[in-house]
Amino acid sequence: MHILVVNDDGPPSRRLSPYIRPFVDALQAAGHQVSVAIPARSRSWIGKAHIIEASLEATYVPPDAFRDDGTWDDAYETPDENESNSNREWVVITNGTPASCTQLGLFNLFADRGPIDLVISGPNHGRNASTIYNLSSGTVGGALEAAICGKRGIAISFGSKDEQPIEVIRAAARLAVRVVNHLYQNWDERVELYNLNVPMRADVETRPVRYTRTLPYYWSKGCLYAEVSQSQANGHAAPALTNGTSNHSDEKVAKLCNGNGSATKVAHLRKRNFAWSAELSEMKKALQASEEGTDAHTVLNGSTSVTPLTANFSHVSGLDGLLELDD
C-alpha cells in the first residue's frame, strides 16, 4: 500500500515531534511504501486551514539529515552515492499546513511513485479527543483534507506530551500500524476518516482497541489567550505589518493627509496585545469525567480509541423551505 504521511508537529524533533520517525519506520517495516510531506514548523491547532497569502516551498530532505531540534543538514549527502535515495526523501514544506501538505502530497509531489491509497495524518504529539480538539486539530485537519479529496484518511494521535522511552514509542507505532492495516482492509464505506488515539504505555499492544464516539465539549470561558504588554508581544512574535505600516510602537500614529500630502490630523489608536496561553485545567477535568464509550474516556483509561467520522457539518433536518421574518 502507498501511504502519504503528513502531520502538524513538523520535522522530527525530540521536543515537538518525537513520534513521526518511529511511526514511518514501522509502516515501512510492515511493507508499505511511504511518502512523507510535513510542514517546516509546528502547526498545532490550525485545523484544516490553508495559508493562501504565502507561497509554499518544498524541500526534499533525506530522513537521516534531520537533527533532534527539528532542523536538518542542507549539505547532507547519501552515504552510497551510487544508490538513488529519492524514494526515501521526505518533503518539508515552508509555510505548509497539514491540509496543504495533504494537497501537495496527493497531487504534486509524488507523481513518480504511483497512486496514493491512504493518507495518515500524525502521529500527533498528544491526544486529540473531544469535539474541541477534533475541530481544532491540524492532525485531524490533514485527514479531513484527504477525505474531501476523495481519499481515505486516518488521523493518529499518541496520547502524551511527556517524553517517552523509545520502546514505548515503538510499541505504540507497531500497534497503530496494525490498526491502520485492519481499518484499511475492512473499511466501512459510511466512514470518510477515522480518528485514532493511542495511549502511551509499555503494554499498549496488549490493551483493547475500541470503537468510540466523540466526546462533546464546549469552552466554558475564554482560556486560550492572555493579555500581555507591548514588550512581551514584541518578544512573542516578529513585528507585523498592517496596511503596509510597521506596528512597532505602543501607539500607532496614523497621519491623514490632504491633497498636498501634508499632515492635517494625527490619531492615536489604542492597542491591546494578546498571546497564546492555553489554560486547559477545566477541559482536563471534563475529559477525566467523560462517559464510557467516548474517545476521551477510552484513551485516558488505557485503551486505544477508534472514532469513525464523516467529513461534513451535517444540516439540522426539519428546517427547510421559506423562512418567514417577523415584522
Side-chain angles (χ1 to χ4, degrees), residues 133-180:
Y133 277 117
N134 291 353
L135 291 171
S136 304
S137 165
T139 300
V140 177
L144 183 62
E145 187 74 20
I148 65 171
C149 291
K151 292 290 185 179
R152 295 175 176 180
I154 299 177
I156 300 178
S157 299
F158 286 180
S160 178
K161 288 187 174 295
D162 297 329
E163 188 167 355
Q164 299 292 316
I166 187 60
E167 294 80 7
V168 172
I169 298 174
R170 287 172 177 162
R174 288 192 299 267
L175 174 64
V177 171
R178 289 176 56 203
V179 175
V180 164

mmCIF file of all heavy atoms in Angstrom, residues 133-180:
data_model
loop_
_atom_site.group_PDB
_atom_site.id
_atom_site.type_symbol
_atom_site.label_atom_id
_atom_site.label_comp_id
_atom_site.label_asym_id
_atom_site.label_seq_id
_atom_site.Cartn_x
_atom_site.Cartn_y
_atom_site.Cartn_z
ATOM 1 N N TYR A 133 -10.952 19.456 20.462
ATOM 2 C CA TYR A 133 -9.673 19.057 19.895
ATOM 3 C C TYR A 133 -9.834 18.646 18.433
ATOM 4 O O TYR A 133 -9.022 19.007 17.574
ATOM 5 C CB TYR A 133 -9.066 17.906 20.696
ATOM 6 C CG TYR A 133 -8.317 18.343 21.924
ATOM 7 C CD1 TYR A 133 -8.736 17.968 23.195
ATOM 8 C CD2 TYR A 133 -7.176 19.136 21.822
ATOM 9 C CE1 TYR A 133 -8.041 18.371 24.331
ATOM 10 C CE2 TYR A 133 -6.478 19.541 22.948
ATOM 11 C CZ TYR A 133 -6.912 19.153 24.203
ATOM 12 O OH TYR A 133 -6.224 19.556 25.324
ATOM 13 N N ASN A 134 -10.872 17.884 18.136
ATOM 14 C CA ASN A 134 -11.020 17.374 16.775
ATOM 15 C C ASN A 134 -11.270 18.490 15.765
ATOM 16 O O ASN A 134 -10.778 18.443 14.637
ATOM 17 C CB ASN A 134 -12.159 16.354 16.716
ATOM 18 C CG ASN A 134 -11.814 15.075 17.453
ATOM 19 O OD1 ASN A 134 -10.688 14.890 17.908
ATOM 20 N ND2 ASN A 134 -12.785 14.194 17.594
ATOM 21 N N LEU A 135 -12.044 19.499 16.154
ATOM 22 C CA LEU A 135 -12.340 20.592 15.237
ATOM 23 C C LEU A 135 -11.197 21.594 15.142
ATOM 24 O O LEU A 135 -11.142 22.386 14.199
ATOM 25 C CB LEU A 135 -13.627 21.304 15.666
ATOM 26 C CG LEU A 135 -14.910 20.488 15.492
ATOM 27 C CD1 LEU A 135 -16.090 21.200 16.144
ATOM 28 C CD2 LEU A 135 -15.196 20.243 14.018
ATOM 29 N N SER A 136 -10.281 21.574 16.106
ATOM 30 C CA SER A 136 -9.145 22.497 16.098
ATOM 31 C C SER A 136 -7.863 21.851 15.596
ATOM 32 O O SER A 136 -6.945 22.545 15.159
ATOM 33 C CB SER A 136 -8.891 23.028 17.520
ATOM 34 O OG SER A 136 -10.034 23.642 18.063
ATOM 35 N N SER A 137 -7.788 20.550 15.651
ATOM 36 C CA SER A 137 -6.538 19.829 15.433
ATOM 37 C C SER A 137 -6.061 19.890 13.993
ATOM 38 O O SER A 137 -6.800 19.568 13.055
ATOM 39 C CB SER A 137 -6.733 18.364 15.840
ATOM 40 O OG SER A 137 -5.694 17.558 15.330
ATOM 41 N N GLY A 138 -4.796 20.252 13.812
ATOM 42 C CA GLY A 138 -4.187 20.136 12.498
ATOM 43 C C GLY A 138 -4.033 18.688 12.075
ATOM 44 O O GLY A 138 -4.083 18.372 10.878
ATOM 45 N N THR A 139 -3.851 17.802 13.041
ATOM 46 C CA THR A 139 -3.736 16.376 12.720
ATOM 47 C C THR A 139 -5.032 15.857 12.109
ATOM 48 O O THR A 139 -5.027 15.210 11.056
ATOM 49 C CB THR A 139 -3.379 15.575 13.989
ATOM 50 O OG1 THR A 139 -2.127 16.051 14.498
ATOM 51 C CG2 THR A 139 -3.270 14.096 13.690
ATOM 52 N N VAL A 140 -6.151 16.140 12.762
ATOM 53 C CA VAL A 140 -7.438 15.743 12.189
ATOM 54 C C VAL A 140 -7.674 16.493 10.881
ATOM 55 O O VAL A 140 -8.215 15.941 9.917
ATOM 56 C CB VAL A 140 -8.574 15.991 13.196
ATOM 57 C CG1 VAL A 140 -9.927 15.648 12.578
ATOM 58 C CG2 VAL A 140 -8.356 15.163 14.462
ATOM 59 N N GLY A 141 -7.224 17.756 10.815
ATOM 60 C CA GLY A 141 -7.392 18.540 9.592
ATOM 61 C C GLY A 141 -6.703 17.925 8.391
ATOM 62 O O GLY A 141 -7.220 17.974 7.270
ATOM 63 N N GLY A 142 -5.524 17.335 8.599
ATOM 64 C CA GLY A 142 -4.827 16.690 7.490
ATOM 65 C C GLY A 142 -5.601 15.512 6.934
ATOM 66 O O GLY A 142 -5.673 15.304 5.715
ATOM 67 N N ALA A 143 -6.207 14.712 7.824
ATOM 68 C CA ALA A 143 -7.020 13.578 7.375
ATOM 69 C C ALA A 143 -8.331 14.052 6.764
ATOM 70 O O ALA A 143 -8.843 13.454 5.807
ATOM 71 C CB ALA A 143 -7.292 12.637 8.549
ATOM 72 N N LEU A 144 -8.886 15.134 7.302
ATOM 73 C CA LEU A 144 -10.118 15.700 6.750
ATOM 74 C C LEU A 144 -9.891 16.201 5.327
ATOM 75 O O LEU A 144 -10.739 16.018 4.444
ATOM 76 C CB LEU A 144 -10.598 16.834 7.648
ATOM 77 C CG LEU A 144 -11.916 17.513 7.296
ATOM 78 C CD1 LEU A 144 -13.066 16.519 7.350
ATOM 79 C CD2 LEU A 144 -12.179 18.679 8.249
ATOM 80 N N GLU A 145 -8.730 16.812 5.082
ATOM 81 C CA GLU A 145 -8.404 17.262 3.726
ATOM 82 C C GLU A 145 -8.354 16.078 2.767
ATOM 83 O O GLU A 145 -8.805 16.171 1.619
ATOM 84 C CB GLU A 145 -7.072 18.003 3.725
ATOM 85 C CG GLU A 145 -6.718 18.658 2.405
ATOM 86 C CD GLU A 145 -7.534 19.907 2.117
ATOM 87 O OE1 GLU A 145 -8.104 20.491 3.064
ATOM 88 O OE2 GLU A 145 -7.605 20.312 0.938
ATOM 89 N N ALA A 146 -7.809 14.959 3.231
ATOM 90 C CA ALA A 146 -7.781 13.764 2.392
ATOM 91 C C ALA A 146 -9.195 13.324 2.027
ATOM 92 O O ALA A 146 -9.476 12.984 0.872
ATOM 93 C CB ALA A 146 -7.046 12.638 3.118
ATOM 94 N N ALA A 147 -10.091 13.360 3.016
ATOM 95 C CA ALA A 147 -11.458 12.905 2.774
ATOM 96 C C ALA A 147 -12.159 13.757 1.730
ATOM 97 O O ALA A 147 -12.866 13.234 0.863
ATOM 98 C CB ALA A 147 -12.247 12.909 4.082
ATOM 99 N N ILE A 148 -11.955 15.085 1.781
ATOM 100 C CA ILE A 148 -12.639 15.930 0.805
ATOM 101 C C ILE A 148 -11.927 15.916 -0.548
ATOM 102 O O ILE A 148 -12.417 16.501 -1.510
ATOM 103 C CB ILE A 148 -12.820 17.372 1.312
ATOM 104 C CG1 ILE A 148 -11.488 18.076 1.490
ATOM 105 C CG2 ILE A 148 -13.615 17.391 2.606
ATOM 106 C CD1 ILE A 148 -11.642 19.553 1.779
ATOM 107 N N CYS A 149 -10.779 15.236 -0.613
ATOM 108 C CA CYS A 149 -10.126 14.975 -1.899
ATOM 109 C C CYS A 149 -10.472 13.580 -2.421
ATOM 110 O O CYS A 149 -9.886 13.113 -3.403
ATOM 111 C CB CYS A 149 -8.611 15.103 -1.762
ATOM 112 S SG CYS A 149 -8.025 16.782 -1.468
ATOM 113 N N GLY A 150 -11.411 12.916 -1.752
ATOM 114 C CA GLY A 150 -11.848 11.606 -2.199
ATOM 115 C C GLY A 150 -10.938 10.471 -1.793
ATOM 116 O O GLY A 150 -11.043 9.367 -2.339
ATOM 117 N N LYS A 151 -10.048 10.703 -0.826
ATOM 118 C CA LYS A 151 -9.135 9.669 -0.351
ATOM 119 C C LYS A 151 -9.500 9.254 1.071
ATOM 120 O O LYS A 151 -10.066 10.034 1.839
ATOM 121 C CB LYS A 151 -7.694 10.186 -0.362
ATOM 122 C CG LYS A 151 -7.123 10.421 -1.749
ATOM 123 C CD LYS A 151 -6.872 9.109 -2.482
ATOM 124 C CE LYS A 151 -6.186 9.339 -3.820
ATOM 125 N NZ LYS A 151 -5.910 8.057 -4.526
ATOM 126 N N ARG A 152 -9.161 8.046 1.412
ATOM 127 C CA ARG A 152 -9.340 7.597 2.786
ATOM 128 C C ARG A 152 -8.299 8.267 3.678
ATOM 129 O O ARG A 152 -7.126 8.359 3.307
ATOM 130 C CB ARG A 152 -9.207 6.080 2.870
ATOM 131 C CG ARG A 152 -10.309 5.336 2.128
ATOM 132 C CD ARG A 152 -10.073 3.839 2.136
ATOM 133 N NE ARG A 152 -11.187 3.125 1.509
ATOM 134 C CZ ARG A 152 -11.249 1.803 1.374
ATOM 135 N NH1 ARG A 152 -10.246 1.047 1.822
ATOM 136 N NH2 ARG A 152 -12.293 1.240 0.799
ATOM 137 N N GLY A 153 -8.741 8.716 4.851
ATOM 138 C CA GLY A 153 -7.837 9.400 5.769
ATOM 139 C C GLY A 153 -7.945 8.842 7.175
ATOM 140 O O GLY A 153 -9.039 8.488 7.632
ATOM 141 N N ILE A 154 -6.814 8.772 7.855
ATOM 142 C CA ILE A 154 -6.774 8.352 9.254
ATOM 143 C C ILE A 154 -5.913 9.347 10.018
ATOM 144 O O ILE A 154 -4.756 9.583 9.651
ATOM 145 C CB ILE A 154 -6.198 6.934 9.420
ATOM 146 C CG1 ILE A 154 -7.056 5.908 8.673
ATOM 147 C CG2 ILE A 154 -6.101 6.560 10.902
ATOM 148 C CD1 ILE A 154 -6.511 4.478 8.738
ATOM 149 N N ALA A 155 -6.486 9.950 11.059
ATOM 150 C CA ALA A 155 -5.727 10.810 11.970
ATOM 151 C C ALA A 155 -5.278 9.966 13.154
ATOM 152 O O ALA A 155 -6.075 9.221 13.728
ATOM 153 C CB ALA A 155 -6.587 11.978 12.441
ATOM 154 N N ILE A 156 -4.006 10.080 13.505
ATOM 155 C CA ILE A 156 -3.452 9.291 14.609
ATOM 156 C C ILE A 156 -2.807 10.229 15.616
ATOM 157 O O ILE A 156 -2.037 11.118 15.247
ATOM 158 C CB ILE A 156 -2.410 8.274 14.105
ATOM 159 C CG1 ILE A 156 -3.049 7.298 13.114
ATOM 160 C CG2 ILE A 156 -1.790 7.517 15.273
ATOM 161 C CD1 ILE A 156 -2.075 6.289 12.524
ATOM 162 N N SER A 157 -3.131 10.018 16.890
ATOM 163 C CA SER A 157 -2.520 10.792 17.968
ATOM 164 C C SER A 157 -1.982 9.836 19.021
ATOM 165 O O SER A 157 -2.678 8.899 19.426
ATOM 166 C CB SER A 157 -3.541 11.743 18.602
ATOM 167 O OG SER A 157 -4.024 12.669 17.653
ATOM 168 N N PHE A 158 -0.745 10.074 19.433
ATOM 169 C CA PHE A 158 -0.149 9.330 20.539
ATOM 170 C C PHE A 158 -0.360 10.162 21.798
ATOM 171 O O PHE A 158 0.092 11.300 21.880
ATOM 172 C CB PHE A 158 1.335 9.075 20.289
ATOM 173 C CG PHE A 158 1.615 8.014 19.246
ATOM 174 C CD1 PHE A 158 2.921 7.677 18.916
ATOM 175 C CD2 PHE A 158 0.589 7.342 18.602
ATOM 176 C CE1 PHE A 158 3.197 6.701 17.970
ATOM 177 C CE2 PHE A 158 0.847 6.360 17.649
ATOM 178 C CZ PHE A 158 2.158 6.039 17.332
ATOM 179 N N GLY A 159 -1.039 9.572 22.795
ATOM 180 C CA GLY A 159 -1.683 10.341 23.845
ATOM 181 C C GLY A 159 -0.836 10.853 24.979
ATOM 182 O O GLY A 159 -1.267 10.772 26.133
ATOM 183 N N SER A 160 0.343 11.387 24.701
ATOM 184 C CA SER A 160 1.126 12.012 25.766
ATOM 185 C C SER A 160 2.094 13.018 25.172
ATOM 186 O O SER A 160 2.712 12.762 24.135
ATOM 187 C CB SER A 160 1.912 10.964 26.560
ATOM 188 O OG SER A 160 2.705 11.591 27.552
ATOM 189 N N LYS A 161 2.221 14.167 25.856
ATOM 190 C CA LYS A 161 3.243 15.145 25.503
ATOM 191 C C LYS A 161 4.505 14.980 26.355
ATOM 192 O O LYS A 161 5.494 15.680 26.134
ATOM 193 C CB LYS A 161 2.694 16.568 25.651
ATOM 194 C CG LYS A 161 1.692 16.948 24.569
ATOM 195 C CD LYS A 161 1.313 18.402 24.669
ATOM 196 C CE LYS A 161 0.420 18.828 23.509
ATOM 197 N NZ LYS A 161 1.111 18.759 22.208
ATOM 198 N N ASP A 162 4.466 14.084 27.335
ATOM 199 C CA ASP A 162 5.657 13.814 28.138
ATOM 200 C C ASP A 162 6.652 12.993 27.325
ATOM 201 O O ASP A 162 6.267 12.189 26.473
ATOM 202 C CB ASP A 162 5.284 13.043 29.407
ATOM 203 C CG ASP A 162 4.358 13.841 30.311
ATOM 204 O OD1 ASP A 162 4.458 15.082 30.306
ATOM 205 O OD2 ASP A 162 3.524 13.216 31.001
ATOM 206 N N GLU A 163 7.932 13.192 27.599
ATOM 207 C CA GLU A 163 8.951 12.423 26.888
ATOM 208 C C GLU A 163 8.788 10.942 27.210
ATOM 209 O O GLU A 163 8.635 10.561 28.377
ATOM 210 C CB GLU A 163 10.349 12.912 27.264
ATOM 211 C CG GLU A 163 11.442 12.285 26.423
ATOM 212 C CD GLU A 163 12.787 12.981 26.578
ATOM 213 O OE1 GLU A 163 12.848 14.021 27.268
ATOM 214 O OE2 GLU A 163 13.770 12.479 26.001
ATOM 215 N N GLN A 164 8.818 10.113 26.183
ATOM 216 C CA GLN A 164 8.556 8.688 26.325
ATOM 217 C C GLN A 164 9.801 7.867 25.995
ATOM 218 O O GLN A 164 10.592 8.245 25.121
ATOM 219 C CB GLN A 164 7.429 8.264 25.375
ATOM 220 C CG GLN A 164 6.109 8.962 25.619
ATOM 221 C CD GLN A 164 5.480 8.562 26.933
ATOM 222 O OE1 GLN A 164 5.456 7.378 27.289
ATOM 223 N NE2 GLN A 164 4.968 9.537 27.670
ATOM 224 N N PRO A 165 9.976 6.722 26.671
ATOM 225 C CA PRO A 165 11.056 5.808 26.279
ATOM 226 C C PRO A 165 10.846 5.340 24.843
ATOM 227 O O PRO A 165 9.707 5.152 24.398
ATOM 228 C CB PRO A 165 10.919 4.645 27.273
ATOM 229 C CG PRO A 165 10.120 5.194 28.414
ATOM 230 C CD PRO A 165 9.213 6.229 27.832
ATOM 231 N N ILE A 166 11.918 5.143 24.119
ATOM 232 C CA ILE A 166 11.801 4.747 22.720
ATOM 233 C C ILE A 166 11.056 3.426 22.583
ATOM 234 O O ILE A 166 10.336 3.209 21.598
ATOM 235 C CB ILE A 166 13.199 4.671 22.056
ATOM 236 C CG1 ILE A 166 13.058 4.436 20.551
ATOM 237 C CG2 ILE A 166 14.055 3.612 22.720
ATOM 238 C CD1 ILE A 166 12.293 5.495 19.809
ATOM 239 N N GLU A 167 11.161 2.535 23.579
ATOM 240 C CA GLU A 167 10.443 1.262 23.499
ATOM 241 C C GLU A 167 8.933 1.477 23.514
ATOM 242 O O GLU A 167 8.186 0.763 22.829
ATOM 243 C CB GLU A 167 10.850 0.344 24.660
ATOM 244 C CG GLU A 167 12.296 -0.123 24.629
ATOM 245 C CD GLU A 167 13.264 0.931 25.165
ATOM 246 O OE1 GLU A 167 12.776 1.971 25.693
ATOM 247 O OE2 GLU A 167 14.485 0.730 25.047
ATOM 248 N N VAL A 168 8.462 2.458 24.293
ATOM 249 C CA VAL A 168 7.029 2.756 24.348
ATOM 250 C C VAL A 168 6.572 3.364 23.022
ATOM 251 O O VAL A 168 5.499 3.028 22.499
ATOM 252 C CB VAL A 168 6.720 3.700 25.529
ATOM 253 C CG1 VAL A 168 5.268 4.172 25.481
ATOM 254 C CG2 VAL A 168 7.009 3.002 26.850
ATOM 255 N N ILE A 169 7.381 4.260 22.463
ATOM 256 C CA ILE A 169 7.031 4.869 21.174
ATOM 257 C C ILE A 169 6.951 3.803 20.089
ATOM 258 O O ILE A 169 6.011 3.782 19.281
ATOM 259 C CB ILE A 169 8.061 5.949 20.802
ATOM 260 C CG1 ILE A 169 8.053 7.077 21.834
ATOM 261 C CG2 ILE A 169 7.766 6.501 19.408
ATOM 262 C CD1 ILE A 169 9.138 8.123 21.613
ATOM 263 N N ARG A 170 7.906 2.901 20.066
ATOM 264 C CA ARG A 170 7.901 1.854 19.038
ATOM 265 C C ARG A 170 6.714 0.915 19.210
ATOM 266 O O ARG A 170 6.120 0.464 18.221
ATOM 267 C CB ARG A 170 9.216 1.085 19.082
ATOM 268 C CG ARG A 170 10.399 1.888 18.538
ATOM 269 C CD ARG A 170 11.712 1.182 18.775
ATOM 270 N NE ARG A 170 12.831 1.926 18.192
ATOM 271 C CZ ARG A 170 14.099 1.744 18.512
ATOM 272 N NH1 ARG A 170 14.429 0.816 19.427
ATOM 273 N NH2 ARG A 170 15.046 2.460 17.941
ATOM 274 N N ALA A 171 6.345 0.621 20.461
ATOM 275 C CA ALA A 171 5.178 -0.231 20.693
ATOM 276 C C ALA A 171 3.906 0.451 20.195
ATOM 277 O O ALA A 171 3.054 -0.179 19.551
ATOM 278 C CB ALA A 171 5.060 -0.559 22.180
ATOM 279 N N ALA A 172 3.760 1.752 20.487
ATOM 280 C CA ALA A 172 2.595 2.495 20.004
ATOM 281 C C ALA A 172 2.571 2.535 18.482
ATOM 282 O O ALA A 172 1.504 2.414 17.857
ATOM 283 C CB ALA A 172 2.608 3.911 20.578
ATOM 284 N N ALA A 173 3.739 2.693 17.870
ATOM 285 C CA ALA A 173 3.815 2.732 16.409
ATOM 286 C C ALA A 173 3.415 1.387 15.806
ATOM 287 O O ALA A 173 2.671 1.333 14.816
ATOM 288 C CB ALA A 173 5.223 3.121 15.972
ATOM 289 N N ARG A 174 3.897 0.299 16.393
ATOM 290 C CA ARG A 174 3.537 -1.034 15.872
ATOM 291 C C ARG A 174 2.034 -1.266 15.975
ATOM 292 O O ARG A 174 1.395 -1.770 15.040
ATOM 293 C CB ARG A 174 4.297 -2.126 16.629
ATOM 294 C CG ARG A 174 5.780 -2.204 16.315
ATOM 295 C CD ARG A 174 6.383 -3.484 16.878
ATOM 296 N NE ARG A 174 6.261 -3.579 18.329
ATOM 297 C CZ ARG A 174 7.195 -3.181 19.196
ATOM 298 N NH1 ARG A 174 8.321 -2.630 18.742
ATOM 299 N NH2 ARG A 174 7.012 -3.320 20.503
ATOM 300 N N LEU A 175 1.449 -0.899 17.122
ATOM 301 C CA LEU A 175 0.008 -1.077 17.282
ATOM 302 C C LEU A 175 -0.751 -0.211 16.285
ATOM 303 O O LEU A 175 -1.721 -0.665 15.663
ATOM 304 C CB LEU A 175 -0.418 -0.722 18.706
ATOM 305 C CG LEU A 175 -1.936 -0.744 18.937
ATOM 306 C CD1 LEU A 175 -2.488 -2.152 18.746
ATOM 307 C CD2 LEU A 175 -2.296 -0.202 20.305
ATOM 308 N N ALA A 176 -0.327 1.038 16.126
ATOM 309 C CA ALA A 176 -1.012 1.932 15.187
ATOM 310 C C ALA A 176 -0.989 1.352 13.775
ATOM 311 O O ALA A 176 -1.993 1.426 13.050
ATOM 312 C CB ALA A 176 -0.366 3.310 15.215
ATOM 313 N N VAL A 177 0.123 0.766 13.374
ATOM 314 C CA VAL A 177 0.213 0.165 12.039
ATOM 315 C C VAL A 177 -0.754 -1.012 11.924
ATOM 316 O O VAL A 177 -1.427 -1.180 10.895
ATOM 317 C CB VAL A 177 1.658 -0.275 11.744
ATOM 318 C CG1 VAL A 177 1.721 -1.107 10.466
ATOM 319 C CG2 VAL A 177 2.564 0.948 11.616
ATOM 320 N N ARG A 178 -0.862 -1.821 12.964
ATOM 321 C CA ARG A 178 -1.815 -2.938 12.935
ATOM 322 C C ARG A 178 -3.249 -2.431 12.793
ATOM 323 O O ARG A 178 -4.049 -2.988 12.031
ATOM 324 C CB ARG A 178 -1.681 -3.772 14.208
ATOM 325 C CG ARG A 178 -0.411 -4.608 14.302
ATOM 326 C CD ARG A 178 -0.329 -5.308 15.648
ATOM 327 N NE ARG A 178 -1.508 -6.128 15.903
ATOM 328 C CZ ARG A 178 -1.912 -6.494 17.126
ATOM 329 N NH1 ARG A 178 -1.237 -6.083 18.198
ATOM 330 N NH2 ARG A 178 -2.982 -7.243 17.271
ATOM 331 N N VAL A 179 -3.582 -1.367 13.524
ATOM 332 C CA VAL A 179 -4.933 -0.810 13.433
ATOM 333 C C VAL A 179 -5.173 -0.225 12.042
ATOM 334 O O VAL A 179 -6.240 -0.417 11.442
ATOM 335 C CB VAL A 179 -5.158 0.254 14.526
ATOM 336 C CG1 VAL A 179 -6.523 0.913 14.355
ATOM 337 C CG2 VAL A 179 -5.043 -0.366 15.915
ATOM 338 N N VAL A 180 -4.186 0.483 11.514
ATOM 339 C CA VAL A 180 -4.302 1.044 10.162
ATOM 340 C C VAL A 180 -4.563 -0.061 9.150
ATOM 341 O O VAL A 180 -5.458 0.043 8.290
ATOM 342 C CB VAL A 180 -3.029 1.833 9.798
ATOM 343 C CG1 VAL A 180 -2.959 2.092 8.292
ATOM 344 C CG2 VAL A 180 -2.979 3.146 10.566
#
